[in-house]
Amino acid sequence: MVREITDTRKKRVDEVLARRQKDLTLVMDNIWDPHNVSAVLRSCDAFGVNRVHLYYTTAKWPELGKKSSASAKKWVERVRHEDHAAMIGDMRAQGYQILRTGFSPTARTVMDFDYTGPTAVILSNEHRGTAPELAELVPDEVYIPMQGMVQSFNVSVAAALILYEAFTQRNAKGMYDSPSYSPEELERLRSEWYTR
């Protein structure tokens, strides 16, 4: 049975899709806490990220509930990966700048990077950090400067802050003012979203 969609709902879907950023994404690297994953997806939806990549080799993809933050999973596409080299290689072939969260001596602040080009940010595991095989392929680290005694943010908070910086830069360049998807791609997305 096909669900009826109102004109108001169609208008909302069309407006949201027109602002989705085709070339801004996150990679979730074995993030195991379902609350963190749900919160990351909610931030992705809020800042126009249409697709995230799931790299799960040491942790299981968590079951997400039906609370408001978990409902964002309906609006953010998830692509699973098991082959780290293929995932990173494909992103690089598409011209992506790839960053990973971390605190090494060569890490740079979130404000030091330009997010207006194709960008993927790897969110590291809550306890172990970046998977070694990903760290080997992605030398560029990003961190959020903090002024207190605690040295790091929760991964979902870090994701929101990084995406906000990307949003700020892209919005200043007018990148949310016209669709990043082609008319054909938008039509396909609309037909999918109208039935959700």
Side-chain angles (χ1 to χ4, degrees):
M1 183 173 133
V2 178
R3 194 175 100 188
E4 287 291 322
I5 181 169
T6 65
D7 288 340
T8 302
R9 180 75 164 178
K10 277 186 182 179
K11 184 173 184 244
R12 177 70 178 146
V13 165
D14 292 351
E15 288 170 351
V16 169
L17 284 174
R19 295 176 65 78
R20 280 298 204 242
Q21 302 294 292
K22 181 178 179 178
D23 62 354
L24 177 62
T25 190
L26 299 178
V27 177
M28 292 197 215
D29 172 15
N30 292 292
I31 297 172
W32 61 271
D33 187 314
H35 300 293
N36 285 340
V37 170
S38 291
V40 169
L41 292 176
R42 187 171 186 144
S43 292
C44 287
D45 179 59
F47 293 115
V49 174
N50 197 52
R51 175 181 297 131
V52 297
H53 298 268
L54 313 177
Y55 183 70
Y56 279 75
T57 55
T58 60
K60 183 182 173 189
W61 171 251
E63 287 298 320
L64 304 180
K66 294 183 179 177
K67 292 183 179 177
S68 61
S69 61
S71 68
K73 70 182 179 184
K74 189 161 88 169
W75 307 111
V76 180
E77 182 183 335
R78 296 168 309 282
V79 181
R80 292 178 183 262
H81 299 272
E82 293 178 358
D83 184 330
H84 66 286
M87 177 180 72
I88 298 299
D90 184 51
M91 288 179 179
R92 290 210 193 281
Q94 293 178 59
Y96 275 78
Q97 157 186 244
I98 307 173
L99 313 172
R100 63 183 170 93
T101 54
F103 298 98
S104 80
T106 59
R108 294 161 50 199
T109 73
V110 67
M111 299 85 74
D112 287 339
F113 290 95
D114 180 353
Y115 300 93
T116 60
T119 301
V121 180
I122 299 171
L123 300 175
S124 304
N125 177 273
E126 295 98 327
H127 302 297
R128 294 185 304 277
T130 307
E133 65 273 19
L134 290 177
E136 190 176 314
L137 295 176
V138 181
D140 291 323
E141 285 180 287
V142 57
Y143 76 94
I144 300 160
M146 301 177 67
Q147 313 309 310
M149 296 294 290
V150 179
Q151 294 183 339
S152 66
F153 284 105
N154 171 284
V155 66
S156 65
V157 174
L161 292 170
I162 291 167
L163 288 177
Y164 182 72
E165 177 64 26
F167 165 78
T168 300
Q169 292 182 19
R170 285 172 171 245
N171 196 49
K173 279 197 154 186
M175 294 175 71
Y176 287 85
D177 297 336
S178 58
S180 64
Y181 285 96
S182 70
E184 296 76 21
E185 289 170 324
L186 280 174
E187 191 54 43
R188 177 185 57 80
L189 288 167
R190 278 191 201 101
S191 66
E192 292 172 8
W193 281 38
Y194 286 170
T195 60
R196 291 183 186 173

